[in-house]
Amino acid sequence: MLTINHFLALSAILFVIGVVGVLTRRNVIVIMMCIELMLNAVNLTFISFAYYLGDMTGHVFVFMVMAVAAAEAAVGLAIVMALFRNRETVDVDRVSLLKH
Amino acid sequence: MLGLENIWLVPILPLIGAIVNGLFGKFMSKSSVTLWAVGSTGLSFFIAVIAFLNLLSLDARDRVFEKILFTWIQAGSFTAQAGIQIDPLSAIFLLIVTGVGFLIHVYSIGYMSHEEGYARYFAYLNLFMFSMLLLILGNNFLLMFIGWEGVGLCSYLLIGYYYEKDSASNAGKKAFVMNRIGDFGFLLAIMWIFWTFGSIDYTTVFPSASQVLPAGGFAVTGITLLLFLGATGKSAQIPLYTWLPDAMEGPTPVSALIHAATMVTAGVYMVTRCNALFNLAPTSMIVVALIGAATALFAATMGLYQNDIKRVLAYSTVSQLGYMFLACGVGAYVAAVFHVMTHAFFKACLFLGSGSVIHGMSGEQDMRQMGGLKSKMPITHMTMLISALAISGIPIFAGFFSKDEILLSAFLGHTKGNLVYWILATVAAAVTAFYMFRLYYMTFSGELRAEDQHVRDHVHESPNVMTVPLIILAFGAAFAGFLGLPIIEGGHALNNFLGPVFHTPGAPEHPHASLGLELFLMGFSVSVAVLGILVARHFYYVRPEAATEMAAKGGFIKTVYTTLQNKYYIDEIYDVVIVKPVVSFSRSFLWKIFDVKIVDGFVNSIASFVTDLSSLLRKSQTGMVRNYALAMALGGVFFVGLWILALGN
Amino acid sequence: MASIPVPDISLGAIAPEITLALTAVVALMLEVFAEKKGRDHIAYISLVGVIVACFITFRLAGDPSWTTFSGLYVVDRFGQFFKLICLLGTGMTILVSVKYNKDEGIDNGEYYALLLFATSGMLFMVSGSDMITIFMGLEVMSISLYALAGYTRKRARSNEASVKYFILGSLSTAFLLYGIALIYGSTGSTQIDIIAKAVSSGSGVEAVLDLGIVMLMIGFAFKVSAVPFHMWTPDVYQGAPTPVTAFMSAGPKAAAFAAFFRVFNVAFPSLQADWWVIIWILAVATMTVGNVIALLQNDVKRMLAYSSIAHAGYILVGFVAGGALGSSAIMYYMLVYTFMNIGAFAIVTVVGRKGEEKTKFSDFTGLGYRYPLMAVALVIFLFSLAGIPPTAGFVGKFYIFMAALKHGYVYLAVIGVVNSVISIFYYLRLSVMMYMQDEPGEDLPPLVFAPSLIAVMIVAIYGSLWLGIMPAGYISFAQSAFLAL
Amino acid sequence: MDSIPILSLLTFLPLAGALLILFIDKNNKGLIRGAAFTTTVIVFLMSVPLYFYFENTYEMQFVEKHEWIPAWGVYYSLGIDGISLFLVLLTTLITAICVASTWTAIDKHIKEFMISMLILETGMIGVFCALDFFLFYVLWEVMLIPMYLMIGIWGGQRRIYAAVKFFLFTMFGSVLMLVAILWLYFHLHELTGQYSFDILSYHGLKIDPSAQFWLFLAFFMAFAIKVPMFPFHTWLPDAHVQAPTAGSVILAGILLKMGTYGFLRFSLPIFPEAAADAVWWISSLAVIGIIYGALVAMVQEDVKKLVAYSSVSHLGFVMLGIFAMNTQAIEGGMLQMINHGISTGALFLIVGVLYERRHTRLISEYGGVSKKMPIFAVIFMIVTLSSIGLPGLNGFVGEFLILLGVWKANPLFAVLATTGVIWAAVYMLWMFQRVMLGKITNPKNEKLTDLSLREIAYFTPLIVFIFVLGVFPTPFIKKMEPSINHLVEQTRTSVVVQIENEKTADGKMAIAIKPPVDKTSADDGEG
Amino acid sequence: MELLIFYMFAIVSVAFAIFMIVARKPVSSAISLIGVMFCLAVFYVLLNAHLIAALQILVYAGAIMVLFLFVIMLLNLREKQGAISYHRTALQLAGVAVFCALLVPFMSMVTIPGTSGGAGVSADFGTTAGVGKLLYTDFLLPFEIASILLLAALVGAVALTKLKMK
């Protein structure tokens, strides 16, 4: 019997993978992809809750998250472009002028 | 007009003199300075005499006059009036102070004529007169305390008169601090008295003393011992006497006035004034008598081998003050006051005489440089001889009567151990006679030993302005004793006059001795004194080289000699035992370690702890974005865990 | 075809946001037509937009509160007050930017448009009574800020700031969103008053709800830069163009606090007994870490960044206290903070000169005598930040600690005041530099004070000083505007 | 008199002066100095009538009360009683003298200096007049800023360290007090149902003794640091030594009094039980302070540091007096505050005179100065004597009354404290000797010039007060007595109640103060 | 049947996700992410969210990920030369395991009363009409805000990448 718990567990796992990706990858673009993965995981949560609650707010929310994800991707990639132009790198560990 | 009503003028006049000379003396001519200074003192003496006569004219029981000028301090139930009180005791002191004071002012005109700070000197001197008179005339303890500290201040200022000399300023400071130690006791005593009696007025405290305080109780013993601590400071008794010999750094008239005739007797005045309290405290009386007797002998021995003419006199003063306290301690207050009076004459005379000698010797104070001044300074010689005889206790001279009365009282006294005091005092009398005549012979007989040709050429008798006071004082030293003729019953004028003051409850009975015993004791003390004189004559007149030979021999005698010359090393002992440890404890522990390292260090270490923490925490800000993300994740885990584990609803 | 019901819409309620958005569009269009030189008018037109929005907001600030957009948007005095703070911050930032942007060559319409978009996002966020409004507002604000932080894109530091801000910001958004999702799941709604009902009736799914609340808290804590979610702040504040830093430290923070406060006090008041502990810990950690690290900073911008972390801590104290007094204290504090902090950053832009070369502490040496008025102004801001009377910062802190004590948080208040003592040290350091160090030998070209900067300084001084001396009106305003529950 | 807001005028006139100076060109030094001096003199002259119009009751007088922050119950309310009257007068006097003393001593940034000075005066007068906790606290901290600037800008070598230390240290104490004030504020609400910062409404408030302890501690920290009491004194030597002369004078003369004033105005009447419990501790600290301050002062090599440590000693007396909690001791404490303001102020001015001429404060650099500066020597001597409490001068009366009162409370403390009299003589005279007496050994001292007329002029009022207060202290005591009696009564009644409670509770006495049983203390209550 | 589909796609999506974070090349990561997204679309269908499933493919996989790939290609990025760091991979897997252990248990606690299995959903649940109606009525405001958001993002992206700085 497929329950909401299956979906929630799956989305939790995907979310965690996204978090771990953010924490371990050095490539900005990959990090951004990890964040996308996290957002996707959240979307899955929303949709499953919406389904099991019988309430479409979750769908609206996911719709908005997609818009946000698109916007973030646009700005984020623009930032990466600018970074690359300045530094010739997308390695976040090398982006540490500002510290202490 | 000049009755007792105006007695307040007596202290005020010198104060005016002091203010005028203090503020404007620099801009005034020498003669007007003199006029203000000496004039005010003279006027004050004049009023004092009239007041005294007025007092005499009153019935013996009514001889207390009190006048409140204004309320000085009033705080809650505490009141200290600025009021004047005169009774026979203060009247005697009043006369001594104004009289001797006036003479010394006159003498100073001559002695100080070449000094730079002439006006300053007289301002201080007048201020001293004011303080001393306030001390005597004040109607309560606090006013006495003002005068008490005031005279201490003037003593400080005058000792340090030659402030460019380190020894002078050191001596001044020493005097002040030693006095302060005494004042510490006095101040506490005043507080204790206030909280016991609810007042500090003499007229309230003394009459009710025997009712309020149980005789021999803790309170009265404590109060009197604290008062006596004050007295030991001011009157240079063991253990606070060391300042007085050093005080000789001041100009000689100052030594005569302050450190011989008046200020140092303030302690005696205080003890006699508080006789009502002391009588209730037998233990304190023993302490007073013992300290007095011990000081009398101890100081006398230190005077034996001093070569500075003024130092000899200084130790002699300490010793004589010891006699006075001995008298107080055995309850012979009249004898004490009597001795104060005679001592004022002969000691002032001796000091002024020595001043005259010093003046004549162009400032030389070392007796080894003197000799043979008999012919060159005849008046000085005569007056000093009379005074030396007086202090040695040779009959008909003043000192004989007063000292004899003390010895007699000691012998007969009710106080425990009175015979011990008598022996100490008698030995001291012999020693006194010896060193006084040692001084006399070294100064006046033989040949002039001065090495400096300039000094030799300029030895001269002092001007009249200096010799006249000498003569007057010598006259007093010779004849003042007749005020207290002991033998003629009823002839003891002083006793009759002062009697009412000392007839307080608990006062010891006046000792009665048979005429024979009295005469025997008299004879004994005189012969002891004569012995002392003869020994001195042997060593310093007949065979002047004998003393040096003996000293040169070495061994025990030499040790005694150097010990005496170094005053038993008491100053050095004080220095090593008290002064140095306190200073180095304060400097190397309290300041450099406790204050800087511990108190301040604690505060600074808090600051450095915070900054250390800061630099540690700063390191967490690595600049690595992934570390930041990790921190966020861990923070999240922490809070989730906290919520679930600790708070879970 | 099913008819679509007419939605419950009141455009008047979102008129300020609309105004801002339209002004932003105008700014974008003006950019197209603007000359190379003399393009200050973009800034001033943006400013006019902000002022108009201010007026509208002010007019909307009446009793009682009402909701619109099907309960997604609420108009109440609490929100309007915070909106005014955000608008104030934006207005002042625009003034600070004029001269700076010209020096930096970034004086174009996009910049102001982004500022205005961000502001409109804040306003939505402040008034949002549904998670979705709050989330969208937050994202509008954040995305604009990511771009603004990296606006001087040629500069490595600015670039780095935006990278860091972006990565961490997105991460926090993900957390926030996950929190919202879980709360939604366990209560069945995203509207905060419905959530409140579900939570208080206990019909929610507790474990997941709790997890959601914590996740949500992480998201907000990030935005208000509370420790340990603060680490982006110093780097971003230091790297971003100074006017943007000034902007970020005021409006977005105020908006985030408003939303944070609203969500927690409207949606989860019944769990207050639990979450106050977390906020308490956040408050203490934030104050302490912010202040302690700020002690040893050598760059003024970075110091101010840490100081802003610390200030978030003080505001969290008011948050913990809660209630009418707590919320009005936060409001007053945010208002004051906007004045003094932007004032301080304004001076940093002046002293920093072209290209922000001079933002070190040592660059302030001797300024007290060369530019006395400016130095006095900075000292006022610093003392206000430090909370020393008679500045507004003092009244603000007083207010906050008053609220804390009213509800019995004595330890929190004690920790707070001790922290404010620590903070004095680094604020004083700057005054030490200006007044007490010998002047440097090197000759630098004189500082340039544009009229716009003078205007912003006057406003800031007014706020930092007058609000401290005569705070009565503002306080009663804040107290009347507390979050009605 | 009632119709004129005299206290507001006094408080804000200096501020107006500061504003005026703000608009004077900074190079017009004469005008700046003149404006500042005129302002302070006017303020002083305006403050003098306070003394004459002051009625001998304990009620607050010249009261002004206006709404300030109604939402919190904060009022702008000023008023003075016998305790604050003299501190206000002292402030106005000392400030005027300070301005006069800086005529040549301050030669850079004069404008800033004078503005700081005037703002400081506003703060100081305000603190003593404030009857509202909020107002009090605001002004209490406002003063820190100009003082901080004065030390930091015009100070000596380590001025920054000293200034920051001063600021942080005193701030630390005051913020704890702030928390306590706020706590009290809500407690007042609990007890009476009203929100008020009115200081007087806190007097005699029955606060739970266990809470009192913490509150008292918080207030104690603020005031003890300000005083400064023994272990909290460490900021003082640094601040004093580094501050410019006028700063030191103000610091010693007035700022330190704020601590002791705080104890009288707040700690005793608001927390009588806690204060009574603390008597032993505070008195011990005070006695330690007296002796410790004196001993450390004795061995200082820097004149200013010596005077600074002597303040620790003198303020120890004041604290001892205040915590003897009887009329004499508190009156003595009040007098001692005034006296310390005058004498230590004068001492710092004296050090300033020397420093201005020789630019060193090391005692070893001097010696024999009397020879070159006779007038100075006289003034120095008088001030020294005043400082060591010579009877007839001001120092004595206060010290004596303190000791008298302390004797009643606890003779042991009185005995120990009285040794302070000896130590004072030791360190002051030793210092005087090393600086002024002896031969001139340092050739640099040969060029010393005596006091100028201006310098004499600003010393004169101090010297006059040294004598006046020493000889005629009663008029001053009379003015303060009603207030102090009232204070003692307030303190005592609650303590008596507490003692009775404790007696019934566990049958033992835990209080250091005796209830009024004997005749004399009953008198005290009535004055 | 549903359960089987779920498990199948769940395993696949997790595998893609893990490969995304361990992959050496950004392009591989991107491709993996697209894979995850396709799987998610399947779940959306399972959950009756047809519109969202479509958008998932169109917007995410179609638009956003293409953008990513485009940038990756544009910048010609590659991670440091060398094989997959097994050390890092182990770390990543361990991290995933730990965090999952912390997080997943929560999800098993969720119970939705009464509606298990989503039996009671209405006919237009998840359809374009259903969601669209909501968007234009109750959720009009966020929809409008989204327009501002996209405009802001556009402006931001342009501002950050314009070649010239004046």
Side-chain angles (χ1 to χ4, degrees), chain B residues 193-511:
Chain B
I193 287 170
F194 175 74
W195 290 117
T196 314
F197 292 91
S199 170
I200 51 164
D201 290 339
Y202 300 150
T203 43
T204 317
V205 172
F206 296 137
S208 60
S210 56
Q211 286 110 56
V212 176
L213 292 167
F218 174 71
V220 74
T221 311
I223 291 172
T224 46
L225 282 179
L226 286 171
L227 285 172
F228 182 62
L229 177 60
T232 55
K234 192 103 305 181
S235 296
Q237 297 296 293
I238 292 173
L240 301 177
Y241 69 91
T242 56
W243 63 272
L244 186 61
D246 288 359
M248 297 304 126
E249 292 289 343
T252 309
V254 169
S255 309
L257 179 61
I258 300 183
H259 305 122
T262 56
M263 182 187 88
V264 287
T265 62
V268 183
Y269 171 76
M270 184 238 264
V271 174
T272 52
R273 172 58 76 203
C274 302
N275 64 78
L277 299 174
F278 277 90
N279 288 338
L280 295 173
T283 320
S284 309
M285 290 295 264
I286 294 173
V287 173
V288 173
L290 193 64
I291 296 266
T295 311
L297 179 60
F298 188 62
T301 56
M302 282 187 285
L304 281 174
Y305 290 113
Q306 297 301 319
N307 289 322
D308 181 317
I309 184 166
K310 285 177 73 182
R311 279 192 175 260
V312 177
L313 293 175
Y315 283 110
S316 132
T317 306
V318 176
S319 165
Q320 296 301 311
L321 289 166
Y323 276 108
M324 297 171 204
F325 281 104
L326 171 58
C328 292
V330 297
Y333 300 110
V334 178
V337 176
F338 189 24
H339 199 59
V340 167
M341 191 175 78
T342 55
H343 178 253
F345 284 115
F346 60 69
K347 188 52 66 62
C349 184
L350 282 169
F351 264 117
L352 293 187
S354 72
S356 177
V357 169
I358 294 164
H359 195 73
M361 293 285 294
S362 309
E364 182 58 66
Q365 300 199 8
D366 192 334
M367 292 192 294
R368 284 168 298 191
Q369 302 288 317
M370 297 175 186
L373 297 180
K374 198 186 206 167
S375 52
K376 305 221 165 99
M377 308 175 80
I379 302 172
T380 309
H381 164 246
M382 265 320 289
T383 53
M384 276 192 86
L385 180 59
I386 291 167
S387 304
L389 288 169
I391 196 175
S392 306
I394 301 303
I396 81 141
F397 295 105
F400 164 73
F401 296 101
S402 53
K403 192 183 276 182
D404 195 61
E405 198 172 326
I406 293 170
L407 290 174
L408 184 66
S409 306
F411 190 81
L412 298 172
H414 300 287
T415 332
K416 265 187 205 152
N418 54 325
L419 274 179
V420 178
Y421 311 147
W422 180 77
I423 293 165
L424 289 173
T426 311
V427 175
V431 178
T432 306
F434 173 78
Y435 68 68
M436 279 319 299
F437 276 86
R438 172 175 173 267
L439 179 147
Y440 171 76
Y441 289 120
M442 280 181 86
T443 311
F444 293 104
S445 61
E447 290 297 314
L448 185 59
R449 294 179 292 272
E451 284 150 13
D452 191 335
Q453 193 57 43
H454 175 82
V455 173
R456 294 180 75 96
D457 293 345
H458 287 79
V459 177
H460 58 83
E461 180 56 288
S462 301
N464 288 341
V465 77
M466 287 167 74
T467 49
V468 171
L470 274 179
I471 294 164
I472 295 170
L473 287 171
F475 188 78
F479 304 114
F482 292 104
L483 284 172
L485 269 184
I487 303 160
I488 311 154
E489 195 57 37
H492 201 311
L494 203 61
N495 199 1
N496 295 340
F497 184 59
L498 288 173
V501 181
F502 300 124
H503 278 292
T504 52
E509 287 294 306
H510 196 70

Side-chain angles (χ1 to χ4, degrees), chain B residues 47-351:
Chain B
I47 298 169
V49 170
I50 288 174
F52 179 71
L53 294 177
N54 276 330
L55 197 69
L56 270 185
S57 67
L58 293 174
D59 189 75
R61 276 162 300 162
D62 302 332
R63 283 175 186 162
V64 178
F65 174 79
E66 199 177 358
K67 181 176 169 66
I68 309 291
L69 299 176
F70 62 93
T71 301
W72 177 34
I73 305 177
Q74 185 168 23
S77 59
F78 176 82
T79 310
Q81 308 280 3
I84 296 285
Q85 179 192 314
I86 184 161
D87 69 350
L89 180 61
S90 38
I92 296 283
F93 273 89
L94 187 65
L95 285 182
I96 297 170
V97 171
T98 50
V100 177
F102 174 62
L103 288 177
I104 290 170
H105 270 74
V106 173
Y107 176 91
S108 300
I109 301 170
Y111 189 85
M112 300 301 289
S113 57
H114 306 301
E115 297 292 340
E116 223 175 282
Y118 188 74
R120 181 162 64 95
Y121 171 82
F122 276 109
Y124 290 165
L125 215 56
N126 276 4
L127 187 62
F128 169 77
M129 292 297 291
F130 164 72
S131 309
M132 191 67 207
L133 290 167
L134 196 62
L135 190 161
I136 291 162
L137 291 175
N139 75 335
N140 62 53
F141 282 98
L142 207 60
L143 223 50
M144 190 204 289
F145 188 74
I146 300 197
W148 187 268
E149 287 251 311
V151 293
L153 165 71
C154 297
S155 153
Y156 164 76
L157 292 171
L158 285 164
I159 295 169
Y161 179 75
Y162 301 110
Y163 60 83
E164 284 183 79
K165 263 165 72 183
D166 282 337
S167 57
S169 54
N170 274 332
K173 188 186 68 199
K174 188 174 178 184
F176 199 94
V177 172
M178 286 282 194
N179 269 303
R180 271 264 157 158
I181 296 173
D183 298 348
F184 158 77
F186 194 178
L187 203 55
L188 289 175
I190 295 173
M191 294 172 213
W192 203 338
I193 287 170
F194 175 74
W195 290 117
T196 314
F197 292 91
S199 170
I200 51 164
D201 290 339
Y202 300 150
T203 43
T204 317
V205 172
F206 296 137
S208 60
S210 56
Q211 286 110 56
V212 176
L213 292 167
F218 174 71
V220 74
T221 311
I223 291 172
T224 46
L225 282 179
L226 286 171
L227 285 172
F228 182 62
L229 177 60
T232 55
K234 192 103 305 181
S235 296
Q237 297 296 293
I238 292 173
L240 301 177
Y241 69 91
T242 56
W243 63 272
L244 186 61
D246 288 359
M248 297 304 126
E249 292 289 343
T252 309
V254 169
S255 309
L257 179 61
I258 300 183
H259 305 122
T262 56
M263 182 187 88
V264 287
T265 62
V268 183
Y269 171 76
M270 184 238 264
V271 174
T272 52
R273 172 58 76 203
C274 302
N275 64 78
L277 299 174
F278 277 90
N279 288 338
L280 295 173
T283 320
S284 309
M285 290 295 264
I286 294 173
V287 173
V288 173
L290 193 64
I291 296 266
T295 311
L297 179 60
F298 188 62
T301 56
M302 282 187 285
L304 281 174
Y305 290 113
Q306 297 301 319
N307 289 322
D308 181 317
I309 184 166
K310 285 177 73 182
R311 279 192 175 260
V312 177
L313 293 175
Y315 283 110
S316 132
T317 306
V318 176
S319 165
Q320 296 301 311
L321 289 166
Y323 276 108
M324 297 171 204
F325 281 104
L326 171 58
C328 292
V330 297
Y333 300 110
V334 178
V337 176
F338 189 24
H339 199 59
V340 167
M341 191 175 78
T342 55
H343 178 253
F345 284 115
F346 60 69
K347 188 52 66 62
C349 184
L350 282 169
F351 264 117

